[in-house]
Amino acid sequence: MKKISILGSTGSIGLQALDVVSKHGYTVTALTANTDYIKLENQIRRYKPVCAALADEKSASELKARVADTSTKILSGVDGVCECASENNTDICLNAIVGMAGLRPTMSAINAGITLALANKESLVAGGNLVKDTAKSNHVSILPVDSEHSAIFQSLLASPSNRALRKIILTASGGPFFGKSRDELKGVTIEDALKHPNWSMGAKITVDSATMFNKGLELIEACHLFDVAPAQVEVIVHRESILHSAVEFDDGAVIAQLGIPDMRIPIQFALTYPERFESPASSIDFAKLAKMTFYEPDCDTFDCLNICREAFEKGGLYPTAVNAANEEANLLFRQSKISFLEIGELIRSAFSIECAKMTYTLEDIEYIDRTARETVRTIAGQ
Ligand code: NAD
Ligand code: MG
């Protein structure tokens, strides 16, 4: 039986991962979250991990007092989360933390030589070549959890060599504002943005889907995971979220992975790879589905997709800067402090930061991250 560590176990992906783990009777090595000591206490009692951590120190001391009767070691702060990530009596570490907070734990797992199942796309986007090169030198595999990247990964298994890969077809649902003009987007609220048509996810990624910054992050994620240039990635809007992405080979053959929109399918594949097991997800009813629709993305209205493409093409730490600017702007929108259209405008301010350094350390990345956040806050008057 596999042993699994889950970082971000109280979130949307974390809870669905625990669902998969329960179904297969896997052993849980470590669990971490930010502040939710009640949920984490319940998980500790049920899954009996070796260690657990809360990033927030106060919540961690509350948790420690509550689970003093268990044998789970309770850690705190970023260092505690990283210690759980590198707990090496495990087969695979699933990073389901949201945002840049996932970068240090990603590096810890990789440095400890632990296979990484990656939901936390921000750590790969912000960490760029540092994450990739460290994984390579430690012979660590990064298995995608994001549904699109899992689909690409599964489709690529159809060819023994990636050399014949012509392009990647990255699908996007289009989010709740598909078809709207910039004028119509002026007055949209956080409640409107949180109404995703197909997926139930955490608040940050749901807003990223509404701006299409999420697809921009995924474009960069795909370039890193599959060693392709942005020009080789075609983004196409597919409203039904049934075809989760595809690859086209030089002979014109297109291989795709389809399934109902249920994250437990890609989560499970990352945890069980290279095996497949029965999943709690249901099957597609093709007759009921009747049709699948595809559209060109409207990049003039949803500029965030261009922003990410430009950032990756500029190279260096520009992806780190736009990721950080987005995290701040996304949060300010969720706090109703800025309008929906201001998100993209604020993210563009990150291009004013000098990010051209092509080789960088974790400290360089964190410096650019802080600078981009400060820039956004200053412009927004916060
Ligand atoms: P979520 O907000 O539901 O959960 C986030 C988890 O991270 C929680 O357990 C929280 O306690 C933890 N966390 C938050 N801040 C932290 C910090 N500073 N330090 C340590 N832990 C912290 O988010 P989610 O929707 O589960 O998304 C998690 C990641 O997976 C994101 O990177 C997202 O882009 C990616 N993802 C999510 C989905 C989805 O369906 N939800 C799909 C694809 C990719
Ligand atoms: Mg996705």
Side-chain angles (χ1 to χ4, degrees):
M1 270 303 145
K2 273 193 181 168
K3 290 183 256 171
I4 322 262
S5 299
I6 304 178
L7 316 178
S9 63
T10 59
S12 163
I13 292 287
L15 292 172
Q16 294 178 85
L18 283 171
D19 205 19
V20 169
V21 161
S22 304
K23 185 161 169 72
H24 298 297
Y26 288 165
T27 302
V28 175
T29 309
L31 293 171
T32 80
N34 191 16
T35 57
D36 195 340
Y37 54 81
I38 295 177
K39 231 182 233 171
L40 197 56
E41 176 188 352
N42 291 334
Q43 293 179 350
I44 289 169
R45 294 197 182 282
R46 177 158 178 199
Y47 296 100
K48 304 178 175 48
V50 177
C51 56
L54 283 171
D56 179 64
E57 299 281 352
K58 256 181 92 178
S59 311
S61 15
E62 181 70 35
L63 178 70
K64 203 168 180 170
R66 284 168 168 260
V67 297
D69 60 311
T70 71
S71 59
T72 300
K73 181 176 165 193
I74 304 301
L75 301 154
S76 67
V78 179
D79 291 345
V81 174
C82 289
E83 203 176 318
C84 285
S86 58
E87 169 59 54
N88 56 22
N89 188 19
T90 201
D91 297 305
I92 186 159
C93 174
L94 167 65
N95 187 348
I97 293 173
V98 61
M100 167 72 179
L103 179 58
R104 278 190 177 256
T106 280
M107 292 301 291
S108 296
I110 292 174
N111 280 318
I114 299 166
T115 301
L116 187 66
L118 191 67
N120 177 249
K121 59 193 95 181
E122 297 92 339
S123 62
L124 186 55
V125 170
N129 290 338
L130 181 71
V131 170
K132 263 180 76 173
D133 296 346
T134 315
K136 207 168 173 186
S137 57
N138 284 297
H139 310 288
V140 165
S141 313
I142 302 180
L143 299 168
V145 170
D146 217 343
S147 57
E148 296 77 0
H149 304 76
S150 176
I152 297 161
F153 179 61
Q154 293 181 58
S155 302
L156 285 171
L157 296 175
S159 168
S161 145
N162 287 0
R163 267 172 301 177
L165 178 66
R166 184 184 283 167
K167 67 178 175 185
I168 284 174
I169 299 140
L170 183 69
T171 52
S173 72
F177 302 142
F178 170 74
K180 291 209 185 302
S181 65
R182 281 188 80 80
D183 219 36
E184 288 168 320
L185 289 175
K186 271 185 188 151
V188 297
T189 63
I190 174 67
E191 288 75 24
D192 299 326
L194 289 178
K195 282 184 205 136
H196 196 282
N198 306 334
W199 298 98
S200 162
M201 311 179 283
K204 190 256 176 187
I205 183 178
T206 307
V207 170
D208 282 350
S209 301
T211 60
M212 289 197 76
F213 193 87
N214 182 53
K215 210 46 57 182
L217 289 174
E218 292 185 356
L219 169 76
I220 299 175
E221 186 186 8
C223 292
H224 282 309
L225 286 173
F226 307 110
D227 273 323
V228 293
Q232 262 179 293
V233 183
E234 178 186 335
V235 176
I236 189 96
V237 175
H238 162 50
R239 291 296 283 159
E240 295 78 14
S241 299
I242 293 291
L243 190 157
H244 297 299
S245 283
V247 299
E248 184 179 315
F249 293 106
D250 286 339
D251 57 2
V254 176
I255 312 279
Q257 183 256 330
L258 287 74
I260 62 154
D262 186 327
M263 282 306 294
R264 291 174 302 180
I265 299 175
I267 292 169
Q268 175 167 308
F269 190 67
L271 300 184
T272 64
Y273 172 79
E275 314 263 10
R276 285 187 190 272
F277 292 110
E278 204 184 303
S279 141
S282 52
S283 305
I284 304 172
D285 182 338
F286 281 100
K288 206 165 155 199
L289 173 68
K291 62 173 184 190
M292 293 196 286
T293 57
F294 299 93
Y295 306 87
E296 285 240 359
D298 176 359
C299 293
D300 295 330
T301 306
F302 298 93
D303 184 39
C304 287
L305 193 49
N306 299 327
I307 292 177
C308 290
R309 204 180 273 274
E310 281 168 49
F312 189 75
E313 278 165 355
K314 278 165 97 76
L317 289 172
Y318 283 100
T320 313
V322 298
N323 174 66
N326 173 60
E327 285 192 28
E328 280 311 301
N330 177 312
L331 181 64
L332 290 172
F333 173 69
R334 279 183 282 144
Q335 294 170 336
S336 302
K337 289 180 177 162
I338 59 167
S339 71
F340 184 76
L341 288 178
E342 277 175 297
I343 301 175
E345 291 162 17
L346 284 170
I347 302 171
R348 278 215 168 266
S349 69
F351 285 121
S352 64
I353 302 165
E354 181 47 60
C355 298
K357 214 171 175 176
M358 290 296 168
T359 49
Y360 38 81
T361 62
L362 188 53
E363 288 67 32
D364 294 328
I365 294 168
E366 290 180 337
Y367 170 75
I368 293 294
D369 177 81
R370 277 195 307 278
T371 309
R373 286 171 196 270
E374 280 159 20
T375 306
V376 165
R377 291 207 157 259
T378 307
I379 298 171
Q382 298 295 322

